[in-house]
Amino acid sequence: MKFKVKHQNSSVTIKNDKLPGNSSLHIDAITDNIIRIHTVPGIEDYKSHSFAIENMPETPGSFNISSNKHAITAATNCVTLKIKKSLQIDIYNKKGSLVCSDIEDNTNIADNLSEEEITQLIQEGHIADTSDMQFKYKITKKLTGNEVFYGLGDKTGFLDKKGYNYIMWNSDNPDPHVENPTFRALYKSVPFFIVHRPNCTYGIFLDNTYKSYFDFGCSDAGSYSFAVTDGELDYYFIYGQSIKEVIRNYTSLTGRSPLPQLWTLGYHQSRWSYSSANEVTELADSFKKYNIPCDAIHLDIDYMDKYKVFTSSSGRFPSLNSLSNKLLQDGIKLVSIIDPGVKAEDGYYMYDEGINNNYFATTEDGEIYHNAVWPGDSVFPAFTSSQVRQWWGEKTNFLINNGIAGIWNDMNEPASFNGPLPDNIIFPGDNKNYTHKEIHNVYGHLMAEATYNGLKENSHKRPFVITRACYSGSQKYTTVWTGDNQSIWAHLKLAIPQMLNLGMSGLPFCGVDIGGFGSNTTPELLSRWIEACCFSPLFRNHSAKMTRRQEPWTFNKSTLDIYRKYVKLHYKFIPYLYDLCYEESLTGIPMLRPLVMEYENDKNVQTCNDEYLVGNSILVAPVTSPGVSVRSVYLPKGIWVDYNSGKRIKGGRYILYHAPLDVCPIFIKGGSILPTYPDIPNLDMKNTRRLVIEFYPSEYSQDPSQCTNNSCYYMHYQDNGTDFKYQTGEYNLYKFSFSPNRPGGLKTELTRNGYKEKYKSISAVTR
Ligand code: MIG
């Protein structure tokens, strides 16, 4: 076997005859913890391009290299790679234990599918034919049996992905999203996962935008694999001492969610569709009337003129601008939907401009490619081109000038009504023409990027973008929702692992349609849904046309009361959620965390699907089954304060908790300090000037000086919640602590003083 090796300080290049064509395998120490393993075709001046990674970490790692007859050894300060002549790689940690190990495997992905499944997948539009199921590169790694798998974005199923296989191919599948083994792809492609076993954690990021396949011990219990169908093999082995560190390292590559505007953390009401200015005004009045806080109302596709993007219907919304101004007086913002498909209609400015400038995707013969979406016959902007993104971004001015405060990107898989877009459709890019096959999975990402930059340049505020389809790294530009769930209990249960896995995949600002989108919700289901999602970053009730209305007052008084209670609870803790956004923007660590992220070595929590943590202080264990008013709750080691009763409970065990319909089991970690707002109607900045600091000592006593756990402190972040001035220092950091020798107990220090509008009052309660 031919085997040629070159190496420099931070990279090893290998050629052998196993690689197709004249390709070589490159192994780079991106940092001492992050190793990139990628093939480079033997093409002159070949430059790889990543849609996910915009900047590599500044200080590369370095290799210490040695070799013998059988293998090359490349060691950084954190990991040691043994690269065999067969190109299989074993990776060890500093203690010398094997972390991950390649095994020989020549099976093909399609081998595991039955004829019937293949036919079904073709019918459903998931695959064009079986040829795209032939892998070009496949990596198979050994399983010890103790692993759990997290991540992969918004895939269905549970927290632990072991035993399942998945496909990355952004799909708008109208069937109920269940963990059915044939349900492998959803709207998003986030080819990043975390492998965790006792005392060992790492992540893999497969940066390839073609259709790819993941099999986590599904077809073979002794191994897991990932494979690409085209393009280059390009993956990152990401090591970390903990799950958090792996996420921190992954987001150091692909980026982090920037600080949002404060109001975006409030409650959002949506429906497909609120279809007149009157209806929207009445809706806003109802929130006041029923005393439910609300920050945003969403306009679905019917606000447009014939579903034409960047227009509004003069019949239904004669003046969007005066509507948004009117709502603003009550502190409510409008968010509107946009779809990528541009109606093919002469005289419509978006179509004409796009045609004149060659902004739309074409067939191989250079004809504009047509398909049908909501506007009927439509064409598709080539977001692959920076010029097209710039153009699209400028068009957000139409919405901004109408007072729209945020933009919701839908249908950007891209979805299409007349069959899927063929693989060979051309999307012109800056330096090359991309095929649909190559950029399908990043179409939504690029649309979100265009929307974000447009909003940023034109509004000068922190852009609020929501997207349905995306790729790794989209967190820099957009928040996400999980698309068309249904009003079924299975989807309420799914919401928790789905949001947790999105957070572990670098997409912390996420949410599901509360109450369920498709089919009819019930009072009980809606009540449990608002409870289960009461700390959801994207906190939106949305429902489909033709389904039962889902606004909280359309049921009965007790449903309304429960709904109000949990929306108010959400608002109470928004200062804490905002602090978690701040932390996330610096570290990538998500707000909503599976218990395993904070208690890694506790075996009881590795596959916990029905509880989650908010930061590290709040544990939520919602009821997600009908007719149930008692559930078991696992509390990790430590003292937990029952939020509903104030009782102190010793953790490290399961408890049975009585949770009638109006009760969501919530526990605060003993010793926590949490910033809260008093009762407020919305996040209009004038409502955010008073802060109440809650202290939850492990042992309750009216007098904080009597508390044993009183040495803790909490850092709180404050800024204007709106624009980018925080980047030039206009923010405050408060350090709150409870000191035994102080009346009332609270000690406040301003450790950073850059934002003038301080709180008017900061009070303290011991709970
Ligand atoms: O084909 O705009 O997921 O939230 O209400 C349906 C109408 C298109 C799908 C989105 C949903 C939205 C709906 N859209």
Side-chain angles (χ1 to χ4, degrees), residues 275-278 280-281 299 303 311-328 334 398-399 401-404:
S275 56
S276 72
N278 262 347
V280 172
T281 320
L299 299 181
Y303 81 90
T311 71
S312 67
S313 156
S314 53
R316 285 188 296 275
F317 292 91
S319 170
L320 257 189
N321 199 27
S322 54
L323 174 65
S324 49
N325 278 328
K326 193 162 167 211
L327 294 182
L328 264 192
L334 279 180
F398 169 79
L399 297 172
N401 294 338
N402 275 303
I404 300 292

Side-chain angles (χ1 to χ4, degrees), residues 432-695:
K432 73 174 237 196
N433 284 336
Y434 291 94
T435 58
H436 173 238
K437 191 181 177 192
E438 179 171 3
I439 61 84
H440 177 83
N441 284 340
V442 289
Y443 194 71
H445 170 88
L446 295 169
M447 179 185 180
E449 179 183 343
T451 310
Y452 176 94
N453 285 328
L455 279 174
K456 186 173 179 182
E457 273 163 40
N458 298 312
S459 74
H460 308 291
K461 291 181 181 152
R462 304 173 203 166
F464 180 57
V465 182
I466 312 177
T467 193
R468 194 168 72 175
C470 71
Y471 184 67
S472 283
S474 297
Q475 62 268 18
K476 298 185 286 286
Y477 304 114
T478 183
T479 72
V480 295
W481 102 107
T482 56
D484 297 348
N485 61 357
Q486 304 254 344
S487 301
I488 54 175
W489 290 92
H491 279 178
L492 172 54
K493 276 193 211 302
L494 172 66
I496 299 167
Q498 221 176 3
M499 291 197 289
L500 298 179
N501 274 319
L502 276 165
M504 286 200 281
S505 310
L507 292 153
F509 202 125
C510 60
V512 306
D513 286 347
I514 290 172
F517 174 74
S519 64
N520 302 316
T521 199
T522 66
E524 188 188 1
L525 180 58
L526 182 70
S527 302
R528 289 306 192 187
W529 213 308
I530 196 75
E531 291 172 6
C533 291
C534 68
F535 291 99
S536 178
L538 188 61
F539 191 45
R540 185 182 77 156
N541 174 326
H542 180 50
S543 56
K545 247 180 205 177
M546 310 285 291
T547 63
R548 181 205 194 291
R549 292 204 70 107
Q550 213 164 269
E551 295 81 12
W553 50 83
T554 61
F555 298 82
N556 51 45
K557 180 165 183 305
S558 68
T559 308
L560 177 63
D561 289 345
I562 292 169
Y563 205 90
R564 179 188 304 112
K565 176 176 168 189
Y566 285 94
V567 175
K568 288 199 177 212
L569 184 81
H570 179 92
Y571 274 80
K572 172 178 169 179
F573 285 105
I574 281 176
Y576 179 52
L577 295 182
Y578 194 57
D579 282 339
L580 291 170
C581 287
Y582 175 64
E583 179 187 344
E584 188 286 327
S585 69
L586 302 174
T587 64
I589 310 301
M591 295 176 238
L592 303 190
R593 303 174 189 170
L595 273 53
V596 66
M597 202 185 282
E598 296 289 341
Y599 302 90
E600 284 200 9
N601 294 320
D602 184 338
K603 274 216 175 125
N604 293 313
V605 300
Q606 291 188 343
T607 57
C608 177
N609 290 297
D610 59 355
E611 299 180 22
Y612 63 90
L613 291 163
V614 187
N616 58 15
S617 290
I618 303 181
L619 186 151
V620 189
V623 172
T624 55
S625 298
V628 166
S629 58
V630 175
R631 67 157 285 178
S632 76
V633 175
Y634 182 74
L635 295 174
K637 247 200 167 125
I639 298 293
W640 295 88
V641 183
D642 175 352
Y643 182 76
N644 297 303
S645 72
K647 262 201 223 137
R648 271 59 186 162
I649 305 171
K650 236 199 185 132
R653 64 193 175 111
Y654 287 90
I655 59 162
L656 267 190
Y657 195 91
H658 184 57
L661 190 54
D662 63 337
V663 173
C664 179
I666 295 172
F667 306 86
I668 313 287
K669 196 174 168 184
S672 295
I673 294 172
L674 294 170
T676 68
Y677 286 139
D679 193 5
I680 56 172
N682 56 52
L683 295 165
D684 199 291
M685 290 315 278
K686 70 173 187 300
N687 297 326
T688 63
R689 298 274 162 245
R690 284 181 303 141
L691 204 61
V692 181
I693 307 303
E694 293 200 338
F695 178 41

Side-chain angles (χ1 to χ4, degrees), residues 180-193:
N180 180 327
T182 60
F183 208 104
R184 296 195 176 102
L186 262 184
Y187 309 92
K188 302 170 185 65
S189 289
V190 188
F192 167 68
F193 59 91

Side-chain angles (χ1 to χ4, degrees), residues 39 46 136-137 208 210 228-234 437-438:
T39 57
Y46 171 81
K136 181 168 170 190
Y137 290 104
N208 175 300
Y210 290 91
V228 300
T229 55
D230 206 340
E232 296 307 315
L233 174 71
D234 193 353
K437 191 181 177 192
E438 179 171 3

